[in-house]
Amino acid sequence: MTEARGKFITVEGVEGVGKSTNISLIAELIREAGHEVVLTREPGGTQLAERVRDILLDKAEHGMTPMAELLLMFASRAQHVEELIQPALEQGKWVVCDRFTDSSYAYQGGGRDMGDEPVSALEELTLGEFRPDLTLILDLDVATGLGRATATTEADRFESEAQEFFEKVRAAFHRRAASSDRYRVIDASGTLEEVQTEIRALMSEVLR
Ligand code: TYD
């Protein structure tokens, strides 16, 4: 018997919204429902894509142009989708990815002021019709998120951006959320327990 194709779930949001903890919960719920789960992230997820990630996050690359940044995001994504994500889904595994193309719309399209067009052109070229089945956007006001993100680790190239950059990123996520019913916005300002209650409810719908 051939396994049904797995589902592809992406988790998005501005820095410091608590993606990691909530991604672990999502994976656990999927496993409890009897599916195999592959956890991955962008930029990254394969050897080549992780090497591209190192370049993208390196503060020494302060001269990187927005277009070079966008193309590197999609170079790593092309490899990641073909080498890891698609084969896993075909084997019936569920894939949970920490960020995906919506981050390109939000950070490069919004934060870097490139607009949606270059992102959607590359999305079509790289992914064709392939899209996540579900995208969770964890939403939190920017100042709170940045405070959380930079409290523990040294800021990378993106985290070193000004608050105004992240306001544009957050606004772009909101626009994405309004564009299709594959998005669910989760208010990440509550306690961890409140946020996780919301995620449990949502996942029980998806896993039904
Ligand atoms: P990461 O440390 O994973 O950030 P976080 O923990 O907040 O998820 O770093 C990834 C950075 O890359 C993050 O700042 C967002 C940025 N990014 C883009 O700008 N465009 C993209 O398409 C993706 C996938 C990530």
Side-chain angles (χ1 to χ4, degrees):
M1 199 182 87
T2 48
E3 281 263 12
R5 191 179 162 84
K7 290 216 190 297
F8 181 37
I9 299 177
T10 59
V11 183
E12 300 278 4
V14 180
E15 327 293 297
V17 292
K19 279 189 289 101
S20 315
T21 323
N22 291 306
I23 284 172
S24 306
L25 172 69
I26 293 166
E28 191 186 309
L29 295 170
I30 298 171
R31 266 185 222 111
E32 278 171 11
H35 304 285
E36 254 191 85
V37 186
V38 174
L39 275 181
T40 187
R41 68 173 179 183
E42 288 213 341
T46 70
Q47 182 176 301
L48 181 144
E50 289 289 331
R51 291 175 74 179
V52 176
R53 175 191 177 87
D54 288 344
I55 299 170
L56 280 162
L57 299 190
D58 188 350
K59 277 207 287 195
E61 298 296 347
H62 45 75
M64 190 183 296
T65 69
M67 185 56 85
E69 184 176 283
L70 179 66
L71 292 169
L72 286 173
M73 290 294 175
F74 271 95
S76 75
R77 182 163 299 132
Q79 186 73 29
H80 188 206
V81 168
E82 196 165 331
E83 183 181 330
L84 188 133
I85 298 175
Q86 289 278 25
L89 295 171
E90 276 156 28
Q91 289 162 21
K93 295 173 188 161
W94 287 43
V95 177
V96 181
C97 192
D98 184 341
R99 300 191 180 281
F100 196 60
T101 314
D102 291 301
S103 275
S104 300
Y105 280 103
Y107 284 76
Q108 285 67 52
R112 302 274 188 237
D113 293 316
M114 294 183 81
D116 285 352
E117 250 149 55
V119 187
S120 69
L122 287 167
E123 181 179 41
E124 201 184 319
L125 187 67
T126 313
L127 305 178
E129 301 286 295
F130 179 67
R131 298 288 180 277
D133 295 291
L134 171 70
T135 297
L136 271 66
I137 298 178
L138 298 176
D139 185 52
L140 182 64
D141 79 86
V142 168
T144 312
L146 284 182
R148 287 192 198 164
T150 50
T152 47
T153 52
E154 203 200 321
D156 62 35
R157 202 171 58 84
F158 288 97
E159 288 161 354
S160 309
E161 290 292 335
Q163 183 163 334
E164 189 201 350
F165 174 87
F166 294 104
E167 297 290 0
K168 291 190 275 186
V169 171
R170 185 183 185 206
F173 275 132
H174 286 165
R175 285 197 296 277
R176 299 297 295 158
S179 72
S180 146
D181 59 7
R182 103 170 126 87
Y183 297 97
R184 295 286 186 286
V185 179
I186 303 221
D187 176 5
S189 68
T191 63
L192 181 62
E193 206 187 327
E194 283 164 351
V195 174
Q196 298 215 329
T197 302
E198 215 180 310
I199 290 180
R200 277 177 197 282
L202 169 60
M203 288 307 295
S204 73
E205 258 178 63
V206 178
L207 287 159
R208 219 174 18 211

